[in-house]
Amino acid sequence: MAEMKTEAANREKTILDYDTVALDDENSAVVIIDQTKLPGTLELISLKTAEEIWNAIYLLKVRGAPAIGVAAAYGIYVLAKGMPETDFETFFRGFQKQKDYLDSARPTAVNLSWALKRMERVCLAFRERPVGEIKTRLKEESIEIQQEDIRVCRAIGEYGLTLVKPGDGILTHCNAGKLAASRYGTATAPIYLGQERGYGFRVFADETRPLLQGARLTAYELKESGVDVTLICDNMSAMVMKNGWINGIFVGCDRVAANGDTANKIGTSVVAAVAKQYGVPFYVCAPTSTIDMDTPVGAEIRIEERSPKEVTDMWYETPMAPNGVKVFNPAFDVTDQELITAFVTEFGVVRPPFREGFEKLFLEKGKRK
Ligand code: MRU
């Protein structure tokens, strides 16, 4: 036993040994795996100030819709914890200032504002109680947000697994894995569960230009987990589908509109259009926290645009485009609902018409709470 422990301690740690986001309450910090350093370096960083948390989200050190939500929840708790124990109104003004600031880090993934609003509701629900108690409740809620995410991802995995069979080829885009959410990830949850049950999937990961989340993160975490994964460039997905190598596509999402239009990493809609052409089912793995019934259609989703340098310079020793060329760099696109075969949520698989399906789902969810 002692020998086994030493062996485990001596083994080089991998991302499988850590949570993507964790609370270090003793040191009043949010601890994250710095995803910008992967796959080369596995580095944990501690975030203590509002600026550190904001920057980590903006710079994609922590990224992926559910992980951003968890980081924001722990972040606002840590910031609230450091506030003086005044009267409620003064405390709440400070809380809201920090909440709005964190919420401004990235616009597209709804989980950021969803988690912060959930934390705000805790303050309001306990407004008659001393500020010290509100802080304790905020801690409990932030932990619950992460625990819930673990349960949700696992349930998505179970439902997703009903849509594929042993030996299938699965394609995924960007990273909706354990680095983007808790433990199982969302789009990777059926893959990891299938792996546990000996399904022997063959997974194809799009590299996902310009920030290479597919190559740096998805290929990395699947490979570390022993999944049969093949990395392809984004412009190769049509070929693997045409070759008949793909039986189903699982992707994540950043915001799903009430009609089913879905914002996800740039390039997702191309994959969906090609999938339709070749008759490959296209599944969006969506925790209900990412379904935004207040946004009626995809055209109303705000799409984040990022620095041209991500396209022209990043990853290269010298720029790979002429100096000063015009660049368009949206971080997400919206896949039209017509291209989506089904959504895989923690409550089950939702097929078209999606608006009706979501309404039923939220009704059901409300009953279970
Ligand atoms: O810009 P990113 O890396 O945060 O974009 C992430 C994605 O688009 C993911 O697919 C999405 O957030 C779902 S993660 C479970």
Side-chain angles (χ1 to χ4, degrees), residues 180-197:
S182 306
R183 306 277 163 85
Y184 285 84
T186 59
T188 54
I191 297 169
Y192 285 128
L193 275 189
Q195 159 94 345
E196 280 172 21
R197 296 172 195 176

Side-chain angles (χ1 to χ4, degrees), residues 35 57 60 62-68 106 109 111 149 153 172-182 185-188 208 211 213 216-217 251-255 263-266 268 285 287 290 304 306 331-332:
Q35 299 193 36
I57 296 173
L60 275 57
V62 56
R63 43 131 321 267
I68 291 173
R106 294 189 79 189
N111 302 59
D149 192 37
C153 288
T172 189
H173 187 77
C174 191
N175 174 264
K178 61 176 82 222
L179 284 161
S182 306
T186 59
T188 54
T208 317
L211 293 182
Q213 287 94 331
R216 293 187 304 105
L217 308 175
V251 296
C253 50
D254 287 83
R255 191 182 296 250
N264 190 48
K265 179 52 55 196
I266 191 71
T268 303
C285 296
T290 315
E304 174 185 9
R306 297 184 63 89
F332 304 94

Side-chain angles (χ1 to χ4, degrees), residues 3-296:
E3 242 170 54
M4 265 175 70
K5 266 194 190 153
T6 322
E7 200 184 298
N10 290 342
R11 174 174 61 81
E12 208 178 304
K13 293 258 199 282
T14 76
I15 50 153
L16 309 181
D17 296 300
Y18 300 102
D19 281 327
T20 302
V21 183
L23 174 65
D24 175 3
D25 200 23
E26 213 177 300
N27 295 303
S28 298
V30 185
V31 178
I32 59 165
I33 297 176
D34 182 350
Q35 299 193 36
T36 59
K37 301 263 171 71
L38 292 172
T41 308
L42 176 58
E43 188 179 315
L44 299 184
I45 51 175
S46 263
L47 314 169
K48 293 188 173 183
T49 67
E51 288 69 31
E52 283 169 355
I53 300 163
W54 191 95
N55 271 314
I57 296 173
Y58 177 72
L59 296 172
L60 275 57
K61 289 172 191 273
V62 56
R63 43 131 321 267
I68 291 173
V70 173
Y74 282 148
I76 194 74
Y77 159 64
V78 163
L79 298 176
K81 187 182 169 194
M83 289 176 196
E85 305 212 347
T86 52
D87 59 289
F88 176 77
E89 296 307 331
T90 313
F91 167 78
F92 191 54
R93 261 199 308 279
F95 177 94
Q96 279 187 308
K97 197 171 153 216
Q98 300 291 30
K99 173 195 158 248
D100 291 345
Y101 175 59
L102 294 186
D103 203 6
S104 70
R106 294 189 79 189
T108 306
V110 68
N111 302 59
L112 178 58
S113 53
W114 170 85
L116 290 167
K117 276 189 204 135
R118 209 168 134 167
M119 297 293 279
E120 184 181 46
R121 282 200 294 273
V122 170
C123 293
L124 292 170
F126 292 93
R127 62 184 308 155
E128 305 301 338
R129 309 294 306 153
V131 165
E133 183 180 332
I134 296 177
K135 292 180 181 180
T136 308
R137 301 290 179 187
L138 286 170
K139 178 181 169 183
E140 288 165 2
E141 186 73 0
S142 59
I143 292 171
E144 177 53 22
I145 287 175
Q146 186 170 42
Q147 290 306 310
E148 226 176 79
D149 192 37
I150 296 171
R151 296 195 293 272
V152 163
C153 288
R154 192 173 166 110
I156 286 175
E158 292 288 357
Y159 287 116
L161 209 51
T162 65
L163 302 169
V164 278
K165 50 182 196 328
D168 269 359
I170 294 173
L171 184 113
T172 189
H173 187 77
C174 191
N175 174 264
K178 61 176 82 222
L179 284 161
S182 306
R183 306 277 163 85
Y184 285 84
T186 59
T188 54
I191 297 169
Y192 285 128
L193 275 189
Q195 159 94 345
E196 280 172 21
R197 296 172 195 176
Y199 272 50
F201 292 135
R202 295 167 288 106
V203 179
F204 290 81
D206 279 352
E207 68 172 351
T208 317
R209 281 274 293 153
L211 293 182
L212 306 179
Q213 287 94 331
R216 293 187 304 105
L217 308 175
T218 303
Y220 171 66
E221 63 165 78
L222 291 178
K223 189 166 175 288
E224 290 285 308
S225 307
V227 173
D228 173 352
V229 58
T230 304
L231 177 64
I232 57 171
C233 299
D234 297 328
N235 50 10
M236 297 169 189
S237 61
M239 181 168 184
V240 295
M241 286 191 237
K242 193 170 182 176
N243 284 355
W245 296 348
I246 308 296
N247 304 91
I249 295 162
F250 288 113
V251 296
C253 50
D254 287 83
R255 191 182 296 250
V256 179
N259 73 336
D261 289 346
T262 294
N264 190 48
K265 179 52 55 196
I266 191 71
T268 303
S269 65
V270 180
V271 177
V274 174
K276 186 151 194 141
Q277 168 70 14
Y278 293 116
V280 178
F282 183 88
Y283 302 115
V284 175
C285 296
T288 47
S289 55
T290 315
I291 302 174
D292 180 11
M293 297 303 274
D294 293 334
T295 299

